[in-house]
Amino acid sequence: MATKLERMAGSKHRFLLNMGPQHPSTHGVLRVVLEMDGEYAMELDPVLGYGHRMHEKMAEVRPTSGFYPNTARMDYLGAILFSHGYVGLLERMAGVEVPERAEYIRVITAELNRISSHLVGIGAYVLDLGAFTPILYAFDDREKILDILEAITGSRLTYCYFRAGGVSRDIDDTFIRRTREFIDRMRNRMPMYHDLVTDNIIFLKRTKEIGLIDRDMAIRYGLTGPVLRGSGIAYDVRKSEPYSIYDRFDFEIPTGENGDSFDRYLVRMEEIVQSLRIIEQALDALPDGPVMAKTKKIKLPAGECNYTVEAARGSLSYYLVGDGSDTPYRLKIRVPSYANLSPLPELCRGILLSDLVTAMGSLDLVIPEIDR
Amino acid sequence: MSGYFSDLITGSKSLLVGLGVTLKALVSPVVTVQYPREKIDVSPAFRGHIDLMKDETTGTHRCIVCLSCMKACPCQCITVEGEKQEGVKGKVLTLFTLDFTKCSLCGLCVESCKPHAIDFSDEYELAGFSREEFFYDLLKRVKERA
Ligand code: SF4
Ligand code: SF4
């Protein structure tokens, strides 16, 4: 029987629901305004800007070297990948040759960083769906990566390790030994993750066919990274326009078939395996030599330059316009999560609130990267 | 109907396999460190806040007041001042402060210092109640250690 309040509201009654800016499943300060019909989300508006720190503006008021620490603050999970893009841009623009050894070290640390980012992505995603255990295992593995990287970069999250022309510090035998140990460990752990998460019936029921993005929609929204590859498009900057020395390694681009949340999860899992392969090849081929180019002070010419890398969440571009001084006139950053967020309103029209959490989590958004 | 039962069977199996994984973790070695009762060693590469280094031979710091750390710092958190003194070559350091509230721990200052006068400290337990607690007088600190 309808109560008095229900009769007053009528059968077409809808209400607005604020999800965030401090909702645990929005991973950072994203606010989503939902128009709810009972438990179904009918319309959706993401509200951005809570974490805006004007990084692009900061780049315009300081010498190029002063922006190194900023790169890590945008994507705190894939900090090395973000600095890779920035130093790559400076080197391309100033025409600096990077020593071979430095390039190998960059690839090794960047791929380690990618794995740790995916581990958080997967762990936090499963946590969103209500399973608490997997994130602890994922963090256990991630902790190993952080220890390895800390011993070499001096920091656990905001690495600030790459410099235009090389890296700030050489790796040692301990690093190589520990990285090899990690590769073995991680390979042994993968079946455990599949047992615990991939084959779990609750996980399957909650992710299969949820948050479907077909090829067409993926291209329409300009998606990149695991979200795009989950929809079956094998696009990866490391393959399509190899930067650094990625053309020397043998690895595959995993893709999904249906483009649902489950496929995006599987792509991330498979990318961990591929990253391990790249690290192993790089360690085998690691040459000796300096890790920093001779030219300490880089000079930027007037003009413009773009550099694109594959960050953990997709394609990341730095675009710099210089006026001949060592302070950029403009630095534009194209971050993957911004485009990856954009299909959310279409994706979530008319689905259950709990499925919305599934679909949003599978996009693996990092909000500070969107807000910058 | 048969779909329901096969779901039930594969579902129970997958849950049992999952439980097996957690059971194995239950008997495997503990990875958690009981901070603050237990502590792990800080990696030698750890980038804490900067500190003036004490030169063992002279018993004091090595800073020559070249100001390159001040210029390299993207956050303007270092203040260095020096003055000419009778009978001493070069400048003598009179003030070296670090505003740690603004420091982004990037390490550019340490890299820019030619005489290796500054390095990272390995302190990490740095909670405080007021902003002023994080304005460090590094010159005073190095003298206290001397
Ligand atoms: S670590 Fe970076 S931010 Fe901190 S004082 Fe040195 S240069 Fe400045
Ligand atoms: S600490 Fe080093 S860089 Fe800074 S003023 Fe002293 S000598 Fe120069």
Side-chain angles (χ1 to χ4, degrees), chain A residues 62 65-66 68-69 73 133 137 140 150-155 158-160 163 168-169 192 195-196 199-202 205, chain B residues 7 10-12 14-15 17-19 21-22 25 31 42-47 72 74-75 103-108 111:
Chain A
R62 54 183 61 177
S65 67
Y68 293 142
R73 267 86 184 164
T133 325
Y137 295 123
D140 186 8
E150 183 191 11
I152 216 71
T153 65
S155 180
T158 48
Y159 301 106
C160 196
R163 302 281 182 273
S168 67
R169 197 188 163 109
M192 185 276 289
D195 280 349
L196 192 64
D199 297 337
N200 185 289
I201 184 89
I202 305 173
K205 291 258 172 201
Chain B
D7 259 13
T10 50
S12 329
S14 83
L15 292 183
V17 171
L19 272 179
V21 173
T22 32
V31 289
V42 177
S43 143
F46 176 69
R47 290 205 309 261
C75 312
C103 174
S104 55
L105 296 170
C106 61
L108 293 172
E111 273 168 42

Side-chain angles (χ1 to χ4, degrees), chain B residues 20 55 60 83 96 98 114:
Chain B
D55 192 338
T60 178
E83 59 178 26
F96 199 119
L98 169 73
K114 292 266 154 33

